[in-house]
Amino acid sequence: MKLSIIILNYNAAAFLELCIYSVLRATKNIDVEIIVADNNSTDSSLQMLHFVFKDQIKVIAHEENYGFSKGNNLAVEQAKGELLCILNPDTIVGEEVFEECIAFARAQPIMGFLGVQLIDGTGKYLPESKRHIPTPKVARQKMLGNDRNYYYNEVGQNDRGKVDILVGAFMFCKREVYEDCGGFDERYFMYGEDIDLSYTAIQKGYQNYYLGDQKVIHFKGESTVKDRVYLERFYGAMGLFYEKYFKQSALEKKAIDLMIKGMVAVKSKQKQANEAKELNNLYLVTEDINLELPIKMKRVKHAEVWDCPLEDATILWDLKTLKIQEVIRFMIQTENLKHRFLSPKRDFYIGSDSSNGRGEIKYM
C-alpha cells in the first residue's frame, strides 16, 4: 500500500462527505486506502459513511471522543501505507495534491512533514499554513498583535521551501517518520499537537517542507463549538508546549499562565460569526445542462463565470462536473465573494464566509 489517508471526524457529516468525494477524485490513480476514524459523533456521520461510500473507505468507529491526537494515532496503527496523510474532514483537496506530495517525498531523504497552502471558504490564504517555532517570546509578540516572527514569511505563499511548523489539517509524511517521532503527543486533546509533532521532527534531524503551489480548502472549526472549553484547550496547549520544550523559571511559568488565562477571558467575551448570511446574486456554475435545483439562481458554465457581474455575488460550485483545482484557482483570484459547494448527490450545499466561525449547511 502506497498511501494511507487518515480523516478524523467528529460531527462534521456534510463537510466530511465533500472531503471524501474530493479525496476519491484525487487518488483514482494511486494505491491508497482512505480511513475515516470517527470520534463518537452524535450526528449522521456514520450513517452517511455507510450509505454513501460503503466499500470505498475504511471506517473506524471510536467508542468515545478521544480528541485529535489519540484519535489519529489509533487510526495510524491500523493503516497499511508507507506514506501517511493526516487530513481534516472540513477540507476539499485538488486533483493533483497527493501525487505532488508523493513525488516530493520520494526526492527528500530527510523529509519530516510536508504541508500545503490552505485557503478558507472565501479563497483567503491561511498564514498558519507555515509558521516559525512559537517560542515564548514569539508567542507573546503574536498575542500582542505582532505576528512578524510567528508566520514563516521567508518562503512565499505560492512557493516551495523549508519551514518549521505545519498545521494538522494537512500533514503528509513517511510512516517511518511518524513512528520515529512517536505520533501525536496524546497529552494534547485538541490544538497544539501539530506544532509539537512538527517541532519533534526538527529535533530528530528531519526537515519540514511547504508546497505553496498545492492548495487545499480548509473551512476550519466544523467539528468545534468555540466556547470557553475550546478556548481553554486552545491556549492551554501553548502552556503544555512550553512546559515540554522550554525550560522556564517559576516567574516565567506564572507569567505564561496569566497570559493564557487573560486570552481565554478576552476571547470568551467575543462573539463568533456563526450566523448564516443571505445569498445574493446566486450563480450556479455547472457543466450539466440538465441540472435543476429548487432555488432561485442563474446558471453559467465555468468558462462563463469570469464574465458575470460578480459584485456581491454567491457562487454555487457543482463539484461533480467541475475540476476542483480550477474552482480553487478562481477563489484565490477573486475577492469579496461567497462560495458554496454542491454535494455530488445535489441534495445539499456547504460553505463558510469566515474562518472564525462555523460554516453553513443547506439541505434542499
Side-chain angles (χ1 to χ4, degrees):
M1 183 70 64
K2 173 62 66 177
L3 173 64
S4 296
I5 299 172
I6 311 295
I7 305 172
L8 182 69
N9 176 68
Y10 180 69
N11 289 340
F15 287 84
L16 174 63
E17 183 173 338
L18 265 68
C19 173
I20 296 173
Y21 176 72
S22 71
V23 170
L24 288 169
R25 286 180 58 172
T27 56
K28 60 183 180 180
N29 298 320
I30 301 174
D31 179 23
V32 67
E33 64 175 354
I34 302 169
I35 300 175
V36 177
D38 185 81
N39 258 346
N40 198 26
S41 292
T42 56
D43 67 355
S44 61
S45 291
L46 289 176
Q47 294 92 325
M48 180 276 294
L49 292 171
H50 174 74
F51 288 108
V52 177
F53 296 106
K54 291 188 178 180
D55 298 330
Q56 294 177 286
I57 63 173
K58 178 178 180 179
V59 177
I60 302 173
H62 294 154
E63 296 181 353
E64 60 182 279
N65 183 357
Y66 289 121
F68 188 89
S69 295
K70 185 174 181 178
N72 274 301
N73 286 344
L74 289 172
V76 170
E77 288 178 3
Q78 298 190 40
K80 300 177 182 178
E82 61 184 87
L83 296 167
L84 302 173
C85 183
I86 305 299
L87 184 68
N88 269 27
D90 54 352
T91 58
I92 296 178
V93 304
E95 286 83 358
E96 297 177 0
V97 63
F98 295 115
E99 292 181 352
E100 289 291 325
C101 287
I102 290 172
F104 189 89
R106 285 173 175 167
Q108 301 295 333
I110 61 169
M111 188 189 86
F113 292 90
L114 179 62
V116 297
Q117 181 181 160
L118 301 176
I119 63 171
D120 68 12
T122 70
K124 182 180 178 181
Y125 167 62
L126 295 172
E128 63 264 30
S129 300
K130 49 183 177 66
R131 292 165 285 178
H132 283 288
I133 298 167
T135 63
K137 180 179 179 180
V138 169
R140 284 196 297 269
Q141 292 175 341
K142 172 69 165 58
M143 296 173 78
L144 293 173
N146 178 9
D147 58 17
R148 182 182 60 182
N149 296 316
Y150 186 79
Y151 299 117
Y152 208 102
N153 296 319
E154 294 88 336
V155 176
Q157 174 182 334
N158 298 305
D159 297 333
R160 295 186 173 193
K162 298 177 181 178
V163 299
D164 292 334
I165 305 299
L166 299 168
V167 63
F170 187 107
M171 292 184 77
F172 190 98
C173 67
K174 300 170 184 175
R175 183 191 184 95
E176 61 193 44
V177 171
Y178 191 93
E179 292 176 343
D180 186 33
C181 293
F184 290 111
D185 187 333
E186 295 181 10
R187 287 178 292 179
Y188 298 89
F189 182 84
M190 186 178 293
Y191 306 109
E193 62 286 303
D194 47 1
I195 297 174
D196 186 291
L197 190 55
S198 298
Y199 187 50
T200 298
I202 292 174
Q203 288 193 314
K204 285 184 169 290
Y206 297 108
Q207 178 62 61
N208 300 323
Y209 290 91
Y210 166 81
L211 300 188
D213 57 316
Q214 297 302 307
K215 282 85 171 178
V216 168
I217 301 171
H218 181 210
F219 296 104
K220 295 187 68 173
E222 297 310 320
S223 297
T224 308
V225 177
K226 293 190 175 181
D227 55 12
R228 191 175 184 89
V229 173
Y230 151 81
L231 291 169
E232 289 173 349
R233 286 173 175 166
F234 184 85
Y235 290 104
M238 181 176 63
L240 176 57
F241 180 74
Y242 296 150
E243 184 178 340
K244 181 176 178 180
Y245 290 110
F246 295 92
K247 188 176 181 180
Q248 308 165 50
S249 67
L251 183 60
E252 288 173 327
K253 187 177 187 309
K254 185 175 182 179
I256 290 174
D257 289 342
L258 288 173
M259 181 173 62
I260 291 171
K261 290 179 181 178
M263 290 303 297
V264 171
V266 170
K267 294 291 184 179
S268 63
K269 294 180 180 178
Q270 297 178 356
K271 293 183 179 180
Q272 302 297 327
N274 292 330
E275 67 275 5
K277 299 180 180 180
E278 183 180 355
L279 302 184
N280 299 320
N281 301 326
L282 182 60
Y283 289 90
L284 169 64
V285 185
T286 181
E287 302 300 315
D288 184 352
I289 62 174
N290 297 313
L291 177 58
E292 296 290 342
L293 297 177
I295 51 178
K296 186 178 180 180
M297 62 193 176
K298 302 172 185 177
R299 181 200 305 270
V300 296
K301 292 185 177 181
H302 183 255
E304 301 168 343
V305 69
W306 294 96
D307 300 322
C308 296
L310 296 176
E311 185 177 355
D312 195 31
T314 301
I315 311 297
L316 177 58
W317 299 101
D318 177 22
L319 297 185
K320 189 172 183 178
T321 65
L322 301 172
K323 194 170 184 180
I324 294 174
Q325 289 180 178
E326 295 299 322
V327 173
I328 292 175
R329 184 174 295 114
F330 180 93
M331 292 174 65
I332 293 173
Q333 294 179 3
T334 55
E335 295 181 357
N336 301 320
L337 298 183
K338 301 182 181 72
H339 299 271
R340 298 296 183 267
F341 304 86
L342 188 61
S343 74
K345 301 195 304 298
R346 280 72 176 269
D347 56 345
F348 70 87
Y349 61 74
I350 62 172
S352 177
D353 301 324
S354 170
S355 59
N356 295 317
R358 304 185 79 180
E360 178 188 11
I361 305 167
K362 178 71 174 180
Y363 291 94
M364 294 180 289

